[in-house]
Amino acid sequence: WNVGKPLEIEDRVLVPLYKIREFGDYFMTYSEGVLLECSNINAEKDPEKLIWQTLPDGEIGIRAPHKDSRISEEHSFVRLSDGTVFCTFRTTTGHPYCSYSRDNCHTFSDPEPLTYSNGRLVKHPRAANFIWKCENGKYLYWYHNNGGRGMPDRNPVFLCGAKEVLTDEGMKLSFGQPKPVL
C-alpha cells in the first residue's frame, strides 16, 4: 500500500513503497520504507524501457532503530529549497520519526523522533502523517498529536506549520505548535 505522493526531482520520479519483512497475528510486525525511482518515465513512452532502481542504496530502507520500533511505515517525502529531501513516517513508539537525504535519496540520515522547534517530541500513533510544501515556501504537517502506540488512536487530527532553517548540514525543518483541525 502507499499513502505518500510521488516525489519529482528534475526528470526523475520517486514513489514511496514499503518493505514488509515480517507479519504477525494481526498486522505487519517489521517494516521499512524505500523509494522506487524511475529516471526516464517523463521521456520514455515504452514501459518496457523504463529504468527503475530502489533507494536508498543497499538492502536497508528508511527505518527507526530496532531498539525503538520495528515498524517504520507510510513515509511522506518533501523536497526542501536546497535540494534536501525530508522524510517523516509512523512508528509504534508514540512519536513519528524523520530523516534527511542530501544526496538525491541514495542515503538518509539516521532516523530520529520528530521534534518541535522548542525540542519537545511530537506525539503520534501508528497512523499516517503527511508533510506538504505550500506555495509560500513554508510547510504543513498533518498528524494526530497523541502518544498512542496502536492504530485505534487516530483522532483528532492536528496541523502544524514548519519552515526551513539553515544548519551546518544544510536546510532542516523547524516545526511550530499544534492546532486541532478535525
Side-chain angles (χ1 to χ4, degrees):
W1 83 100
N2 183 357
V3 299
K5 292 174 57 176
L7 182 65
E8 292 189 55
I9 301 176
E10 288 112 29
D11 293 334
R12 304 176 310 136
V13 173
L14 300 100
V15 180
L17 293 176
Y18 311 101
K19 292 167 75 174
I20 309 303
R21 295 187 176 262
E22 190 176 287
F23 282 90
D25 292 333
Y26 173 64
F27 211 51
M28 282 70 69
T29 58
Y30 183 2
S31 56
E32 59 193 49
V34 296
L35 287 161
L36 187 58
E37 177 199 61
C38 187
S39 60
N40 63 341
I41 197 166
N42 290 325
E44 182 56 60
K45 301 298 181 205
D46 182 351
E48 294 195 23
K49 294 181 181 176
L50 295 177
I51 301 167
W52 296 94
Q53 75 171 326
T54 303
L55 299 172
D57 296 338
E59 295 298 316
I60 297 174
I62 305 161
R63 65 183 188 199
H66 286 166
K67 67 178 178 54
D68 298 341
S69 176
R70 289 171 44 103
I71 299 300
S72 299
E73 300 167 338
E74 299 187 340
H75 296 61
S76 181
F77 297 87
V78 69
R79 191 168 186 218
L80 307 185
S81 65
D82 69 347
T84 295
V85 173
F86 171 81
C87 169
T88 183
F89 56 94
R90 75 183 191 176
T91 68
T92 53
T93 65
H95 307 284
Y97 271 59
C98 67
S99 184
Y100 292 87
S101 176
R102 301 191 190 283
D103 61 3
N104 289 315
C105 302
H106 288 277
T107 63
F108 280 82
S109 63
D110 290 337
E112 58 188 13
L114 187 62
T115 61
Y116 297 105
S117 59
N118 64 8
R120 190 170 53 98
L121 290 174
V122 172
K123 293 180 179 180
H124 184 70
R126 187 175 180 177
N129 63 134
F130 302 100
I131 185 79
W132 301 293
K133 188 170 187 174
C134 302
E135 287 183 20
N136 66 1
K138 295 184 181 178
Y139 299 81
L140 196 57
Y141 178 59
W142 163 290
Y143 65 117
H144 297 287
N145 197 31
N146 72 64
R149 295 175 184 261
M151 290 188 274
D153 304 316
R154 295 180 173 199
N155 286 310
V157 172
F158 285 73
L159 291 174
C160 77
K163 63 181 181 178
E164 292 184 4
V165 294
L166 184 58
T167 69
D168 290 341
E169 294 87 33
M171 290 296 188
K172 283 194 165 188
L173 291 179
S174 176
F175 289 83
Q177 294 302 300
K179 303 289 182 199
V181 179
L182 179 64

